[in-house]
């Protein structure tokens, strides 16, 4: 945005880089950074920029998503913040289109950010345990359930998300990426595994 790139620095906050000269990018500063180890709110683990709007997920924190207007990238303005009190601290939020898939200790929450300043809770899918990660693409979402595996959800009707498949996975996935035809799963022990989603209810490993 305007020659400025935003970077998620994890436990070091949200950074800004001048990329007006792409061959020599220059780190400028941090928009925010934690004041202490206990300050989880001011961490940044996932970013998504759509037009003049920047979405920042702090990861395990009392807030699941912070939204900024970056029309003026050197002076971004925070326009909304999604508190997760009552849900339990979740992991990084995944955004597909205008729908945010927010994992938490009590399940998955689907929020519509068509108006970034006024997100609307469209639906929830609850479990008996924590959801540690999520990814979505159009009408399908995949969520990690720790040692219980990975659930595939139909979110075509956000008010009534439905589990349509369950993949038993040997490790606890640390990262997910979902496209129109494939699911990528990352974990510390096995690296990256690829699954075909020709039939979303039965993911088939391809690599």
């Amino acid at each position: 945005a305007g020659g400025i790139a935003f970077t998620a620095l994890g436990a070091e906050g949200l950074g800004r880089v001048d990329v007006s000269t792409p061959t020599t990018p220059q780190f400028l500063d941090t928009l925010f950074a934690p004041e202490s180890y206990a300050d989880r709110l001011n961490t940044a683990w996932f970013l998504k920029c759509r037009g003049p709007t920047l979405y920042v997920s702090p990861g395990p924190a009392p807030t699941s998503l912070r939204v900024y207007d970056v029309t003026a990238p050197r002076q971004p303005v925070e326009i909304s913040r999604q508190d997760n009190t009552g849900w339990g601290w979740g992991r990084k939020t995944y955004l597909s289109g205008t729908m945010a898939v927010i994992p938490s200790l009590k399940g998955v929450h689907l929020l519509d950010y068509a108006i970034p300043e006024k997100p609307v809770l469209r639906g929830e899918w609850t479990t008996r345990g924590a959801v540690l990660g999520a990814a979505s693409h159009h009408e399908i979402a995949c969520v990690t359930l720790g040692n219980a595996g990975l659930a595939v959800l139909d979110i075509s009707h956000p008010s009534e998300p439905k589990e349509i498949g369950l993949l038993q996975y040997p490790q606890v996935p640390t990262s997910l990426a979902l496209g129109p035809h494939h699911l990528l799963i990352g974990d510390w022990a096995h690296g990256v595994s690829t699954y075909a989603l020709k039939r979303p209810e039965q993911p088939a490993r391809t690599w």
Side-chain angles (χ1 to χ4, degrees):
I4 302 295
F6 294 89
T7 61
L9 303 176
E12 297 183 9
L14 179 66
R16 288 188 288 188
V17 180
D18 185 339
V19 293
S20 55
T21 305
T23 56
T24 56
Q26 299 291 322
F27 182 81
L28 296 176
D29 57 13
T30 53
L31 181 59
F32 56 75
E35 296 182 358
S36 68
Y37 176 77
D39 180 7
R40 303 295 182 86
L41 173 63
N42 288 307
T43 63
W45 296 96
F46 174 82
L47 301 181
K48 179 85 170 186
C49 195
R50 188 173 63 245
T53 308
L54 176 69
Y55 300 83
V56 183
S57 175
T63 293
S64 291
L65 200 62
R66 302 174 70 172
V67 184
Y68 289 83
D69 182 337
V70 293
T71 302
R74 294 181 183 273
Q75 295 180 317
V77 177
E78 187 170 8
I79 56 176
S80 68
R81 182 181 295 189
Q82 181 57 49
D83 181 39
N84 60 30
T85 302
W87 296 350
W89 287 16
R91 299 300 188 266
K92 64 184 181 183
T93 294
Y94 195 89
L95 197 75
S96 178
T98 65
M99 190 68 68
V101 181
I102 299 181
S104 79
L105 299 183
K106 295 185 178 180
V108 171
H109 315 275
L110 305 176
L111 278 87
D112 188 345
Y113 278 84
I115 302 176
E117 298 88 342
K118 298 180 180 180
V120 177
L121 179 63
R122 296 297 187 191
E124 297 177 296
W125 181 76
T126 57
T127 68
R128 291 190 295 272
V131 172
L132 303 180
S136 65
H137 183 79
H138 294 313
E139 298 180 348
I140 298 295
C142 294
V143 301
T144 63
L145 306 175
N147 293 325
L150 185 145
V152 181
L153 307 180
D154 179 343
I155 58 172
S156 56
H157 300 286
S159 61
E160 298 180 348
K162 296 179 180 179
E163 180 179 336
I164 59 174
L166 181 66
L167 173 65
Q168 296 298 332
Y169 194 75
Q171 299 290 328
V172 176
T174 55
S175 299
L176 298 177
L178 185 63
H181 305 296
H182 290 87
L183 167 68
L184 275 66
I185 303 175
D187 73 76
W188 293 113
H190 295 87
V192 177
S193 303
T194 305
Y195 288 79
L197 292 178
K198 186 174 182 180
R199 298 180 60 190
E201 67 277 8
Q202 292 183 338
R205 184 166 184 174
T206 59
W207 183 72

